[in-house]
Amino acid sequence: MATTTAAAPLRRDPARGKLGGVAAGMADRTGLDPWAVRAGFVIAAIAGGWGIALYLLLWAVIPESEESTGARRFATGRSAVEVGLGSALLLLAALLAARKAGVWWSDAAVWPLILIAGGGALLWRQSLAGTADEPGAPPLADEPDPAVRARRRAAVVSRTGLGVALVIASPLVFLALTGALTAARDVALAAIAVAVALAVIFAPFVTRLVRSLADERASRIREQERAEMAAHLHDSVLQTLALMQQRADNPRQVATLARRQERELRAWLDGQRRGTDVAAPPTLGAALEAVASEVEADHGVPVEVVAVGEGAGLDEHGEALVAAAREAMVNAVKHGGGEAVRVYAEVTPEAVQVFVRDRGPGFDPACVPGDRRGVRESIVGRMARHGGRATVHATPGLGTEIELVLPREGA
Amino acid sequence: MSAADPADPGAAPRVILVDDHRLFRSGVRAELRELVDVVGEAETVDEAVALIAEARPDVVLLDVHMPDGGGVEVLRRAADAGTSARFLALSVSDAAEDVIAVIRAGARGYVTKSISPAELADAVMRVHEGDAVFSPRLAGFVLDAFAGPAGGATRPAGRAAPAARADADLDTLTPREREVLQLLARGYLYKEIALRLSISAKTVEAHVSAVLRKLQLSNRHELSRWAVERRLVE
């Protein structure tokens, strides 16, 4: 320790110093007690006053030690306002002392100088302290609580505003006290008059310019939307219309094409309206809609889907549910007598339910015919494996309805 | 809303068609020829309002999407003129905001244009008799809109309706109404619902009419939002 300090160059140490760190730095360099150095300065000051001059000189010429620069220098634990006020009072004291000593100039300079000192100290403290606007607090940007962050930011802004106001006020006070403000006021009035006149002359141009820029932007956005819409229609609707013309002799195919296109277009419009994120996993309703569209295309029987209470994206069990629903739909379009098949899905906090209903003659689940084995295997079995159940309601005259229930996790 | 005329169930209802697609009007006209008395057609909002005042139909089949304000505008102006006609909205669109907007403007029912002729005729008769007509999808929308607790903020969809609060009658569905709507959404006809729930068809109709009233008068956030969105689109 001793050797390193001895070899170290002379540096002020404001972190440990009482005033500017000169005495502490010298003590460090020489190995003396800092208080001894300070006592020397005080004695020299009382003796002939040159102690103060020497101190100020040393303070000015000795560079500050590196480890105490930056934010650390200002981590004094005092608020910026206190520092500003203190600086102003110190200067006032110094000026009064100078007056007493007979070194005096116009009184008009006193108040402006004090204002400048206070405001300047406030600003410097504010800007140099950087993010450490409150002693011991984390940097403003890291403040976790948004309310506290807003309050602290407001405090910083108001302190800075106060500093700026003080600094601006000081020349005005000086001018007012020396009587120069009257002249300055005339000039300012003239400048304001010219500015108003210019504003009146140019305001229409400026507003027109701003408006035309906004118009242009809006029309560009519209144009973009139109282009996007045209691209989509071209890829989908026009293609389908061309296909339908080719297949005009096959009404069933035409109907299927038309329905598939309708479904696609609706999904697209819906997505446009809601701004749906395409990358998000499909919801139950969307997945059922997609499956219904496939079944419809394969079998040529319309499948209508109504989904209520769309939840989050599908998990593994939800996918099994959709697969089971697909089997149920296939079953329904095969045996439903050609009338539209209705699919209803409802997501509640407790469970997900899907009903697939056709208007076929209905059948007794107890004596499932051989060709309907699929019901047992791919619907009932699959649901059971995923913790759900499937029930077939078949009432003669009411058609057949397959009910799929999947309890939701955590319910 | 129409000043509920007691309908004359004997005669075929006098119907006018309002749609800006001539092809569609002639199709519907041909389909309904046997079942109702089509007394006129209108192509624009202005024509429709004039025709409703002049022909005094029982039922107006109203297209939702037309230039100059669409079905909602016809409903508004016809109501201002004090019509007694009942309105059945008919549209290719089954987007929530379209459906809810015409229902809240006073339509007694809503069906999509893909409906079969027999079902359409049935819907016209039903509206003529003062009942409400809900397509399965409309029933789904209503269940969605009335899901979750009544009142302001949007909730995650799919919340079960809580027990009805006395002060929020209009903003919640009774359990029975929910059941009826669920069956409608599953594609059941009124008489099938009646069979299923062991109640009379008249009771089913009463439940549906009650839901329609709630749908038209409720202040639920979801409903007003859909209605507002629709108006912004127009």
Side-chain angles (χ1 to χ4, degrees), chain B residues 148-179:
Chain B
T154 329
R155 302 295 165 128
R159 296 281 301 271
R165 292 203 316 255
D167 61 329
D169 260 5
L170 279 176
D171 291 345
T172 48
L173 300 178
T174 66
R176 200 47 166 221
E177 286 164 356
R178 280 185 64 79
E179 265 180 312

Side-chain angles (χ1 to χ4, degrees), chain A residues 8-308:
Chain A
L10 184 57
R11 288 279 184 274
R12 285 191 292 116
D13 192 352
R16 286 190 290 136
K18 292 294 158 204
L19 287 172
V22 173
M26 286 175 74
D28 236 19
R29 179 77 173 84
T30 56
L32 292 170
D33 187 279
W35 283 109
V37 183
R38 284 180 193 127
F41 274 118
V42 171
I43 290 165
I46 295 168
W50 56 267
I52 296 174
L54 181 66
Y55 188 94
L56 287 175
L57 185 69
L58 287 173
W59 181 79
V61 296
I62 299 175
E64 193 178 312
S65 91
E66 272 128 30
E67 57 205 59
S68 65
T69 54
R72 222 185 114 191
R73 180 161 48 135
F74 291 94
T76 57
R78 289 195 187 90
S79 83
V81 175
E82 284 173 53
V83 171
L85 197 61
S87 307
L89 288 176
L90 273 178
L91 184 68
L92 181 62
L95 288 175
L96 289 175
R99 173 188 227 173
K100 194 77 182 165
V103 187
W104 190 240
W105 55 93
S106 162
D107 273 353
V110 174
W111 291 113
L113 279 176
I114 287 169
L115 285 178
I116 281 209
L122 203 58
L123 283 178
W124 276 82
R125 163 90 175 129
Q126 198 64 57
S127 61
L128 286 177
T131 52
D133 56 312
E134 261 178 40
L140 185 58
D142 296 347
E143 176 64 49
D145 182 354
V148 174
R149 190 161 60 227
R151 182 178 61 73
R152 282 174 59 184
R153 183 165 298 135
V156 168
V157 169
S158 62
R159 278 198 292 267
T160 308
L162 180 62
V164 169
L166 287 174
V167 172
I168 290 175
S170 71
L172 291 179
V173 169
F174 181 74
L175 290 174
L177 290 174
T178 54
L181 197 58
T182 348
R185 196 176 54 204
D186 291 345
V187 174
L189 273 179
I192 289 170
V194 171
V196 169
L198 287 178
V200 169
I201 293 167
F202 287 108
F205 295 105
V206 174
T207 47
R208 198 177 308 150
L209 188 68
V210 168
R211 199 172 300 152
S212 75
L213 280 177
D215 283 353
E216 197 185 302
R217 192 162 161 272
S219 79
R220 209 168 45 233
I221 290 170
R222 268 200 301 278
E223 186 58 36
Q224 222 167 346
E225 278 174 354
R226 209 196 63 79
E228 205 174 297
M229 174 90 76
H232 178 85
L233 291 180
H234 201 272
D235 285 350
S236 58
V237 179
L238 288 181
Q239 288 281 358
T240 305
L241 287 176
L243 270 175
M244 283 163 72
Q245 285 169 38
Q246 280 174 13
R247 312 263 165 91
D249 49 341
N250 185 341
R252 211 183 104 169
Q253 251 185 346
V254 168
T256 309
L257 280 170
R259 279 202 51 94
R260 190 184 322 168
Q261 184 55 62
E262 181 192 343
R263 206 184 278 273
E264 270 178 33
L265 196 57
R266 271 193 210 297
W268 186 72
L269 286 172
D270 229 34
Q272 288 282 99
R273 200 169 293 152
R274 289 192 210 141
T276 308
D277 182 3
V278 189
T283 58
L284 178 67
L288 287 174
E289 196 78 58
V291 166
S293 158
E294 283 170 30
V295 173
E296 198 175 274
D298 292 348
H299 299 272
V301 176
V303 181
E304 304 274 1
V305 179
V306 175
V308 172

Side-chain angles (χ1 to χ4, degrees), chain B residues 88-233:
Chain B
L88 175 61
L90 190 63
S91 167
V92 290
S93 163
D94 50 10
E97 45 270 47
D98 293 336
V99 181
I100 302 296
V102 284
I103 293 289
R104 279 175 82 88
R108 296 284 303 168
Y110 187 100
V111 292
T112 44
K113 284 182 176 176
S114 54
I115 192 172
S116 74
E119 278 181 299
L120 180 59
D122 184 57
V124 170
M125 299 304 278
R126 211 166 273 291
V127 167
H128 176 47
E129 284 159 23
D131 293 336
V133 173
F134 282 32
S135 68
R137 204 174 280 270
L138 174 54
F141 287 148
V142 178
L143 283 170
D144 248 344
F146 282 89
T154 329
R155 302 295 165 128
R159 296 281 301 271
R165 292 203 316 255
D167 61 329
D169 260 5
L170 279 176
D171 291 345
T172 48
L173 300 178
T174 66
R176 200 47 166 221
E177 286 164 356
R178 280 185 64 79
E179 265 180 312
V180 170
L181 280 176
Q182 274 167 349
L183 288 170
L184 275 174
R186 279 153 67 179
Y188 283 75
L189 304 177
Y190 284 18
K191 56 176 189 291
E192 294 170 339
I193 295 172
L195 206 62
R196 201 98 197 197
L197 299 179
S198 310
I199 53 180
S200 75
K202 271 284 153 220
T203 313
V204 175
E205 282 163 9
H207 283 310
V208 179
S209 292
V211 173
L212 182 81
R213 194 172 145 267
K214 290 179 180 180
L215 196 50
Q216 287 172 339
L217 300 178
S218 163
N219 287 321
R220 280 192 77 104
H221 170 73
E222 293 84 352
L223 296 172
S224 39
R225 179 170 54 89
W226 279 334
V228 166
E229 272 176 16
R230 174 66 190 161
R231 230 164 277 141
L232 286 178
V233 168

